[in-house]
Amino acid sequence: TLSKKFNERWEKLNVKDEQVKQVFKEEMDRLSSLEPSSSEYNVTRNYLEWITSLPWNVTTNDNFDIPSIKASLDRDHYGLDDIKEMIKTFIAVGKLRGSVGGKIILLVGPPGTGKTSIGKSIATALDRQFYRFSVGGISDVAEIKGHRRTFVGAMPGKIIQALKTVKTSNPVILIDEIDKISKGSHSDPFAALLEVLDPQQNKNFLDHYMDIPYDLSKVLFICTANLTHPIPAPLLDRMDVMRLNGYIQAEQIEIANNYIVPSVKSETGIGDDKLMITKEAIKHLCEYWCRESGVRNLKKMIERMFRKVAFKLASNPESNELITITPENLEEFAGLPKYRVKKYYQTPVPGIALGLGWSENGGVPLYVESVVDLYQPSAGLRATGSLGDVMKESIEIGYTYVKRYLELNVDPKNKFFEKNAIHIHAPEGATPKDGPSAGITMITSLLSLATGKPIQPNLAMTGEITLTGKVIPVGGITEKLIAAKREGVKKVVLPKDNRKELEDIPEFVKEGLQIYLANYYSEVADVAF
Ligand code: ATP
Ligand code: MG
């Protein structure tokens, strides 16, 4: 009976691989020789369950029709033109080769920018089955490659589980949060992932539990990450990296109006006759509730507003009133705003400079404040604000440089730095900050304090500085410009050597920003004062 069931399943699978057929036969023989009450019987039965439920020979046909793929991607996601373009090219190449397998896509960018959801869209567009799992926080190789059968309660790893679930051997498998893997002391999940993903190795993927090779070469793997640097080079080198840099406010408003609101509407059943959210209200949400690179919080807030409205409607079912949410009554539905004011500093103050940082949340405004520490007897500099080693060094470099710059380029008689103890700080103090890109911001803050001149309003800057005052390039320019716009900045100073990246940034991101390129610090000062 049990044997019959397995045999029937096996027939249907039409397995061609001799080694696999051999293993099946051996296990069937073993099953018939064992006492059904023995524990070994159970182990063997479980194994046969797995081997007879994997899609050994089943594939689906890919949709290679580019226009319909484009339509499908556009239906689910606003903007992201370069990503969609890359996906189309990728699929067009796949069409020529006859398969899109054997490639690894890495989608990288800040939270809530649509990485996971566009991964799903790719599967839909290609007409492939889809399976998603997160590797965030895992440290055990067995999660990926399974446990050996001798283990009590042994199971195959996630990859084999995925194949069993989707029932085809060419699905899209989305491996989420690959940068959040924690490397154990005696277990290296990255190495296991390399075996899974590497087209050179994955034709013969060996799960510990299955103990027979499975061909993963037809699977399209898509990985997502917020950052690339935790991913080991051997793995990263094999990936096709696609960057999602975050959205400017106008895009966030479009996404809210045309994608999020309609989808929440249909989920909650609250129609246009019951609720209307004005564009201004959405804009206010972006400005005072959710300052973010993606749209995750925006989506949460909109869902929350709909729940409030649903509650109102439920408690007064007779009402025919149309509820309109505007900036004026927004708090009633969205709760208190997270941000009260548009900017930290309404008027320019000497010693306050605005830099642009870059974290896994995308670009962020990074203020630098310097003040004189009145009761410190001797001249010097103290820095606070959860600063990493590289940033601390960049402050020291800036301090050395600014003393010279003040004396040689600004005012030889100004003895400010000789006399004063200075405290330099980067709020918000609880957010760790690192990297060299605040170099020119630090110097400008110190120079402003020393001369008593405030920095031009609505100006932000980013750039590493060398000891001789050369401004050298930094990363994350697109993300930083998006953050600058979010902060209401109008002018930005960037290192001249970043102009290649700058050229590649879409016009709509740069629109409304006056960008200055600097080779030496003096050019930064010219703009700042
Ligand atoms: P994380 O790094 O935190 O995992 P993520 O990039 O995977 O973030 P998603 O979960 O894919 O983010 O996206 C969050 C939500 O925003 C989803 O509901 C998604 O559909 C929506 N969204 C993001 N970008 C767009 C877009 N361009 N058009 C329409 N909806 C979008
Ligand atoms: Mg995600």
Side-chain angles (χ1 to χ4, degrees), residues 73-80 84 107-121 132 174 176-177 179-180 224-227 244 247 251 254-256 258-260 263 294-297 299-300 303 360-361:
L73 293 175
D74 285 341
R75 189 169 53 240
D76 301 340
H77 291 89
Y78 174 84
L80 299 174
K84 289 175 184 167
L107 298 167
V108 49
T113 45
K115 298 181 295 298
T116 304
S117 74
I118 205 151
K120 172 128 197 353
S121 290
R132 168 192 168 269
L174 183 88
D176 235 348
E177 302 182 2
D179 55 335
K180 305 287 188 301
T224 78
N226 296 126
L227 298 167
L244 294 83
Y247 301 110
E251 292 179 293
E254 286 293 320
I255 294 172
N258 300 329
Y259 293 81
I260 299 176
S263 91
V295 292
R296 160 102 20 92
N297 288 316
K299 186 172 177 196
K300 267 195 210 141
E303 284 167 348
E360 61 182 321
N361 293 324

Side-chain angles (χ1 to χ4, degrees), residues 401-441:
Y401 180 76
V402 76
K403 287 183 273 188
R404 266 181 31 157
Y405 186 83
L406 181 67
E407 174 148 346
L408 301 178
N409 297 55
V410 184
D411 179 8
K413 291 197 285 299
N414 185 328
K415 301 295 175 210
F416 181 85
F417 290 113
E418 255 170 66
K419 293 192 191 126
N420 292 297
I422 298 160
H423 186 163
I424 190 166
H425 176 65
E428 290 100 40
T431 316
K433 306 166 196 78
D434 205 1
S437 76
I440 61 172
T441 322

Side-chain angles (χ1 to χ4, degrees), residues 163-383:
L163 294 166
K164 182 182 174 202
T165 309
V166 300
K167 299 190 173 64
T168 73
S169 56
N170 65 335
V172 171
I173 296 186
L174 183 88
I175 306 179
D176 235 348
E177 302 182 2
I178 194 167
D179 55 335
K180 305 287 188 301
I181 285 183
S182 41
K183 206 166 161 174
S185 48
H186 40 249
S187 175
D188 182 0
F190 276 121
L193 271 183
L194 190 60
E195 283 175 45
V196 169
L197 297 171
D198 183 3
Q200 307 290 327
Q201 306 181 41
N202 72 7
K203 244 183 147 28
N204 296 302
F205 171 66
L206 199 61
D207 181 277
H208 285 146
Y209 180 86
M210 297 310 298
D211 211 21
I212 31 174
Y214 192 100
D215 180 1
L216 295 178
S217 63
K218 293 195 276 301
V219 177
L220 173 59
F221 288 102
I222 302 179
C223 303
T224 78
N226 296 126
L227 298 167
T228 50
H229 69 74
I231 304 172
L235 192 50
L236 194 57
D237 287 347
R238 288 174 172 77
M239 297 175 147
D240 285 311
V241 180
M242 303 187 184
R243 283 190 180 277
L244 294 83
N245 298 307
Y247 301 110
I248 62 166
Q249 194 187 72
E251 292 179 293
Q252 291 171 328
I253 294 173
E254 286 293 320
I255 294 172
N257 275 333
N258 300 329
Y259 293 81
I260 299 176
V261 169
S263 91
V264 181
K265 250 186 191 152
S266 69
E267 271 164 36
T268 53
I270 299 175
D272 290 329
D273 54 330
K274 295 265 187 280
L275 175 64
M276 142 106 179
I277 306 175
T278 67
K279 212 168 165 174
E280 276 302 308
I282 303 269
K283 183 160 188 255
H284 254 66
L285 269 184
C286 293
E287 258 162 34
Y288 298 102
W289 274 262
C290 351
R291 289 184 192 165
E292 57 180 342
S293 299
V295 292
R296 160 102 20 92
N297 288 316
L298 189 58
K299 186 172 177 196
K300 267 195 210 141
M301 289 311 304
I302 290 172
E303 284 167 348
R304 179 170 168 184
M305 285 160 49
F306 270 85
R307 278 200 301 274
K308 273 261 162 96
V309 171
F311 182 75
K312 264 197 160 185
L313 292 173
S315 47
N316 189 4
E318 303 298 299
S319 154
N320 276 326
E321 181 203 7
L322 168 70
I323 298 173
T324 308
I325 301 181
T326 62
E328 285 68 41
N329 65 0
L330 191 54
E331 277 188 25
E332 188 189 322
F333 296 92
L336 287 180
K338 194 165 167 201
Y339 309 91
R340 276 275 148 203
V341 288
K342 267 202 168 146
K343 282 185 217 145
Y344 264 25
Y345 296 98
Q346 304 300 320
T347 49
V349 180
I352 311 296
L354 174 57
L356 297 168
W358 183 46
S359 70
E360 61 182 321
N361 293 324
V364 282
L366 199 127
Y367 281 92
V368 174
E369 313 176 307
S370 311
V371 296
V372 174
D373 187 347
L374 286 176
Y375 300 112
Q376 275 296 330
S378 53
L381 183 80
R382 189 156 72 98

